Amino acid sequence: MSFGVNDIVSGAKVAWELYEKGFSKQQKADKQFTEFRTDIQNLAKNLDNVKGVIGNVTNQVPRQVAAHSHAWDLDSLDQILGDFGATLRECKKLLQDTASYARNGSGFVANMRWNIEVEPQVTQLRHRVAFHNVKVLTVLKPLELKLLFDLQDDIHRVHSDLATRITEMQSHITQRLEKIEGILNKDVDVAAQEATTIPPSSFKVPQYLDTQFTEAAKTVDLDMEDPTRFPLVRGLDAFLFHFEKSTSAFTAGLFDNGKTPTPGQYLNLMKCVWIMERLQVGNDCTRARSERLWNCYLKELYGKARHECDRFTTGQLRPPQETEIRLLPKEDFQIWLNKEDDLVPPFWEKSYMETILTMSLESSQPGYQQQLTLLRRDETGIEMVNSFSRAASHSHMNAPHSTSKDINLSQIHLIPLYASPVSAPNALSMKFTSDNISGSSTAFSFCKLDDLHRFQQAMTGYKIAFDKIGVKTLTSQSSLFQRTIKTQAEGRIQLWYPKKLETRAVGTDAATMSTPRTGSSCGTRSTTASTFIKDNVSRNHASPIDAEGESGWCFEQPKLPLLVLYLREERDQMSFLAVSCISSKTPQERTKTAKTNSSLVDRNTDIHPGSCNCANPKKVCTKSVIESTRGDLTARRLDAGKDLDAWNLAALSLYQQPQSLKDHLVEHLKLVSVNFASVQDRIEFVHHFADVKDFHAVLRATYHEEVKLLGQKDVVTPD
């Protein structure tokens, strides 16, 4: 059955009915449902706009054309917009099923049924409705242009026979064609000229991204070896999704340091360029170009991508550093959208709470599926929701249930069971205790290593850039009497860099601070000046503050990356060693550094090839030696002895400061030698080590530039 105007009319009618009558009194009083209602209203309005575009062109059809049973060919529009009818039917069912829902407001997670059962369904449907809206808004102009071209063809076709015999009829045809105009395309001739060709673009995807995108795009049914098989509809859906999260959402500042979009925004634009390049050689796209709507729609999308690329070629924007992009998580490079993906740009996600993590776990209860959700309340406060639902093969069992717990990240204990000496190499478990007193703990078993890394990032504020097991270490430390103390150990090595897990709901305003952070420069000034700073500096180092009626920005120095060694020494003594290389001119400076952050990679830390066999082509070298170019290395050692529960990884987090420097500071540490299981592991470590150093150098340079800019605007900064 072909798709036509009646389907648009019917969809708009259903959407308006849902908006006006589909929400109960309780639902209308709920913020999430209220926003859901607004999304449906927007879809109704947008479908009305489609009706308006079609109606405007239809009203210009001459009587002679209408007499030939005129009808528009809209089958391609159905493919472009997606099945909005099915989405609306699911919306209606959800609203009916939850008509009596009411939130009681008794706590942060006030109604667990909402958070576990209803909220995910509402969120998913909101995303689908929003994505339909994006598609409608994008296709409106191409649709109108296609209809206007069709009308011109119809007028020519109906009058062609008469025009060949009656000279006067030619004048009538010309006048009729000149009167045709659209709502979005006022001058059809100009629009037609713009739509005839796609100008070549000199903007190319960097080779290292092209390689990663190609690998990420490989699926069971699409190996990417045959470029002619690139899918059309799936590719354009991915294009729209990534484009809405690209530099199209970035407004450049007045100064150079305000002209660089985030690495994620730039990466998403490169995905769009990559997709367009692949589409143009695909058989699906070649066939689609013979259909007028597809042709106009493709050129509209190409024009959007080209406009964003031109912002870089003309100097309006500057690309981020390659090292920043390489440090993005693997999932950020994905091309295709899965059924469970969030089909909505971040700025549409507005929730009364911020979900920072949702993942499936290896269930601790047979017959149940387990899911862990973390919701951020403030800087150190999160809500942990551990939920269980029946597996399909155990539908006869009890109803789903969940537990919720308030967590203070400054008090937690985090025991890395996955790195303990007694754990199997493939063990992916973490033991979690919410405070130092209760002793109540929970062990989580993760389905994959990436999930464990993300949970650890949420708990510590550090993202893991490198992780290898099976290393052997040697530390060299000089004593008071110039003796050298060497300590051997084995275990696991990780390279961390500071990056708090971003929230999924970023539509809310950033959290404000009432007091300056440690190691920060803060200033307050009038709202106008604060707005100036907001528009012209990045958010990497700046957080809004509001004190005593004055608003401003707090600038925090970038935290240093960490090299963390999970060690087992003689007699199974366990410890963490976190090494930094901050200038150790005086013990007082080292103490000040340790109080602020036990960190690794500063400009004084380097891997010295002269201390191993790397320079000898006749030998295989699996060793890296980390030394300081300025005196001793600075390090913290956290000893746990044989007590696994005392092996607290959270003590190294951004949220917990060392209580006793005497117990943890390692004096006169000269070097740390790490022997890897293979040459490939060593090479990978060296590359990641260099990446995090470069990344930190960029952050530090940006910080100083922005503080300088802050000072130029007469904002007072404390000493």
Side-chain angles (χ1 to χ4, degrees):
M1 185 176 178
S2 62
F3 183 85
V5 179
N6 288 339
D7 295 285
I8 301 292
V9 174
S10 176
K13 181 180 179 181
V14 172
W16 280 118
E17 287 177 351
L18 282 178
Y19 169 72
E20 294 170 354
K21 302 176 183 179
F23 290 79
S24 66
K25 183 178 180 180
Q26 292 92 336
Q27 290 168 336
K28 288 180 181 178
D30 184 271
K31 183 176 184 290
Q32 184 82 337
F33 273 117
T34 300
E35 293 173 346
F36 186 23
R37 186 168 179 253
T38 301
D39 294 336
I40 292 176
Q41 181 191 33
N42 289 335
L43 181 57
K45 290 180 178 179
N46 287 329
L47 291 175
D48 278 348
N49 288 335
V50 176
K51 286 195 306 180
V53 165
I54 297 173
N56 174 66
V57 181
T58 302
N59 291 336
Q60 298 180 65
V61 177
R63 289 193 304 273
Q64 298 92 329
V65 176
H68 287 71
S69 300
H70 187 275
W72 303 115
D73 178 9
L74 299 177
D75 285 344
S76 298
L77 183 62
D78 184 24
Q79 292 180 281
I80 292 172
L81 296 183
D83 195 348
F84 56 84
T87 300
L88 289 171
R89 287 192 293 273
E90 291 185 41
C91 291
K92 183 176 181 179
K93 184 178 185 303
L94 176 67
L95 292 172
Q96 291 172 343
D97 292 345
T98 60
S100 61
Y101 165 77
R103 200 194 311 273
N104 59 35
S106 62
F108 178 64
V109 181
N111 189 311
M112 291 312 303
R113 178 170 176 262
W114 162 262
N115 288 293
I116 303 305
E117 300 177 21
V118 181
E119 192 271 347
Q121 297 179 59
V122 174
T123 300
Q124 185 187 43
L125 284 174
R126 285 192 63 202
H127 292 174
R128 286 171 58 182
V129 170
F131 202 48
H132 287 307
N133 280 325
V134 172
K135 292 180 178 181
V136 173
L137 292 172
T138 307
V139 82
L140 274 177
K141 188 174 180 180
L143 172 63
E144 183 184 63
L145 193 57
K146 170 254 194 302
L147 296 175
L148 292 172
F149 287 163
D150 286 352
L151 179 56
Q152 284 184 334
D153 291 347
D154 289 340
I155 293 173
H156 277 297
R157 184 175 61 255
V158 171
H159 291 295
S160 60
D161 183 59
L162 289 174
T164 58
R165 290 178 289 162
I166 305 174
T167 307
E168 291 79 5
M169 184 59 68
Q170 185 65 45
S171 174
H172 172 74
I173 296 171
T174 303
Q175 292 175 6
R176 170 61 66 181
L177 293 175
E178 288 176 349
K179 290 180 180 179
I180 294 175
E181 67 175 27
I183 300 172
L184 305 173
N185 299 275
K186 293 297 183 182
D187 193 325
V188 181
D189 290 335
V190 173
Q193 186 176 3
E194 292 175 350
T196 51
T197 58
I198 297 181
S201 174
S202 59
F203 204 92
K204 299 296 181 183
V205 176
Q207 183 58 48
Y208 76 96
L209 288 180
D210 182 270
T211 301
Q212 288 184 271
F213 292 159
T214 301
E215 187 64 28
K218 292 180 180 178
T219 62
V220 174
D221 59 337
L222 187 64
D223 59 13
M224 296 306 297
E225 293 181 3
D226 183 0
T228 64
R229 294 181 57 205
F230 199 87
L232 177 64
V233 176
R234 192 177 175 188
L236 290 178
D237 277 355
F239 176 97
L240 274 179
F241 176 67
H242 298 310
F243 186 79
E244 293 298 325
K245 299 196 297 180
S246 72
T247 55
S248 64
F250 178 75
T251 302
L254 298 177
F255 300 96
D256 287 345
N257 58 359
K259 294 182 178 181
T260 304
T262 66
Q265 289 173 326
Y266 180 79
L267 182 66
N268 284 318
L269 177 61
M270 292 300 98
K271 290 180 189 176
C272 294
V273 176
W274 186 87
I275 290 170
M276 272 299 169
E277 290 176 351
R278 296 302 182 279
L279 280 171
Q280 291 183 40
V281 297
N283 289 336
D284 284 359
C285 187
T286 301
R287 287 189 291 267
R289 287 193 183 282
S290 63
E291 205 286 322
R292 188 166 271 162
L293 178 56
W294 275 118
N295 199 36
C296 294
Y297 184 58
L298 285 165
K299 289 170 181 175
E300 176 75 12
L301 296 183
Y302 183 88
K304 288 178 175 290
R306 170 104 189 216
H307 172 75
E308 290 304 313
C309 292
D310 287 347
R311 296 174 72 189
F312 288 93
T313 56
T314 58
Q316 299 175 53
L317 299 182
R318 293 185 175 183
Q321 296 289 329
E322 181 179 328
T323 53
E324 296 181 81
I325 299 171
R326 287 184 180 274
L327 286 172
L328 290 172
K330 183 179 179 181
E331 56 266 24
D332 284 7
F333 292 84
Q334 292 301 312
I335 298 295
W336 307 120
L337 308 184
N338 298 318
K339 291 182 179 179
E340 302 302 323
D341 277 341
D342 295 337
L343 300 179
V344 61
F347 53 80
W348 272 315
E349 294 189 11
K350 299 177 181 178
S351 176
Y352 79 105
M353 56 185 171
E354 298 177 328
T355 303
I356 60 174
L357 184 65
T358 299
M359 64 173 60
S360 297
L361 300 176
E362 294 288 348
S363 180
S364 58
Q365 298 186 20
Y368 280 85
Q369 296 174 337
Q370 185 176 357
Q371 180 171 286
L372 180 67
T373 302
L374 301 181
L375 307 110
R376 175 169 290 148
R377 183 174 60 247
D378 51 40
E379 186 74 9
T380 59
I382 64 173
E383 186 79 13
M384 179 180 288
V385 181
N386 192 17
S387 59
F388 297 86
S389 60
R390 290 168 295 190
S393 59
H394 294 74
S395 57
H396 62 281
M397 301 183 72
N398 295 331
H401 61 279
S402 61
T403 59
S404 174
K405 183 180 293 186
D406 286 313
I407 304 299
N408 187 332
L409 294 175
S410 65
Q411 298 177 356
I412 65 170
H413 270 208
L414 205 60
I415 313 302
L417 299 178
Y418 69 95
S420 74
V422 296
S423 295
N426 58 348
L428 298 177
S429 298
M430 184 88 75
K431 188 176 180 180
F432 172 83
T433 305
S434 60
D435 56 58
N436 304 334
I437 301 172
S438 67
S440 177
S441 61
T442 304
F444 295 124
S445 294
F446 298 89
C447 297
K448 51 187 179 180
L449 185 60
D450 284 347
D451 288 346
L452 186 150
H453 283 172
R454 287 196 296 145
F455 177 78
Q456 184 170 310
Q457 181 184 359
M459 296 294 105
T460 64
Y462 286 95
K463 184 173 177 60
I464 299 175
F466 178 82
D467 184 5
K468 289 295 177 183
I469 62 174
V471 299
K472 296 181 179 180
T473 66
L474 174 68
T475 58
S476 179
Q477 183 180 0
S478 62
S479 68
L480 182 65
F481 302 102
Q482 301 300 316
R483 293 176 52 210
T484 299
I485 302 174
K486 295 184 178 181
T487 305
Q488 294 183 344
E490 61 183 24
R492 191 180 195 114
I493 183 173
Q494 289 181 348
L495 188 56
W496 299 1
Y497 66 95
K499 183 176 176 60
K500 296 177 182 178
L501 202 62
E502 295 179 354
T503 60
R504 287 172 50 194
V506 297
T508 55
D509 292 334
T512 58
M513 298 188 305
S514 58
T515 56
R517 303 180 194 175
T518 303
S520 62
S521 298
C522 299
T524 59
R525 57 171 302 139
S526 66
T527 302
T528 302
S530 180
T531 302
F532 175 89
I533 296 171
K534 177 181 177 182
D535 291 339
N536 291 283
V537 302
S538 72
R539 294 290 184 93
N540 289 331
H541 317 295
S543 298
I545 59 172
D546 192 357
E548 299 180 356
E550 290 190 318
S551 59
W553 291 82
C554 179
F555 282 74
E556 184 177 19
Q557 294 189 39
K559 300 293 185 182
L560 297 167
L562 282 166
L563 177 65
V564 180
L565 294 166
Y566 302 65
L567 300 177
R568 181 182 66 173
E569 300 176 12
E570 294 181 0
R571 297 183 297 277
D572 292 333
Q573 299 290 312
M574 294 182 298
S575 65
F576 296 117
L577 182 65
V579 186
S580 70
C581 196
I582 300 167
S583 180
S584 53
K585 295 180 180 179
T586 66
Q588 290 79 9
E589 289 179 340
R590 287 204 308 276
T591 300
K592 182 178 179 181
T593 297
K595 286 181 178 179
T596 304
N597 189 25
S598 302
S599 307
L600 154 76
V601 185
D602 198 71
R603 60 184 177 277
N604 304 320
T605 300
D606 209 348
I607 298 173
H608 289 267
S611 301
C612 61
N613 292 322
C614 285
N616 189 341
K618 296 182 179 181
K619 294 188 177 182
V620 176
C621 184
T622 59
K623 183 170 66 175
S624 288
V625 180
I626 298 96
E627 300 181 65
S628 172
T629 59
R630 298 184 185 180
D632 300 336
L633 292 168
T634 303
R636 283 177 61 200
R637 181 188 295 275
L638 282 72
D639 293 309
K642 295 184 179 181
D643 183 6
L644 186 62
D645 287 338
W647 209 35
N648 180 23
L649 190 65
L652 299 176
S653 78
L654 290 175
Y655 309 106
Q656 298 188 22
Q657 301 299 327
Q659 296 180 353
S660 174
L661 297 177
K662 181 179 179 181
D663 293 337
H664 301 321
L665 190 65
V666 181
E667 296 285 351
H668 309 300
L669 183 63
K670 300 301 181 183
L671 62 84
V672 175
S673 174
V674 182
N675 203 339
F676 292 91
S678 68
V679 175
Q680 184 58 39
D681 287 353
R682 178 190 63 79
I683 293 173
E684 187 179 344
F685 170 74
V686 171
H687 289 165
H688 281 86
F689 189 91
D691 283 345
V692 295
K693 285 186 67 175
D694 292 343
F695 179 65
H696 179 70
V698 171
L699 289 182
R700 185 168 50 197
T702 305
Y703 165 78
H704 288 298
E705 290 176 4
E706 292 178 356
V707 170
K708 184 178 180 180
L709 173 63
L710 184 67
Q712 289 173 349
K713 301 310 298 178
D714 300 325
V715 180
V716 179
T717 57
D719 295 333

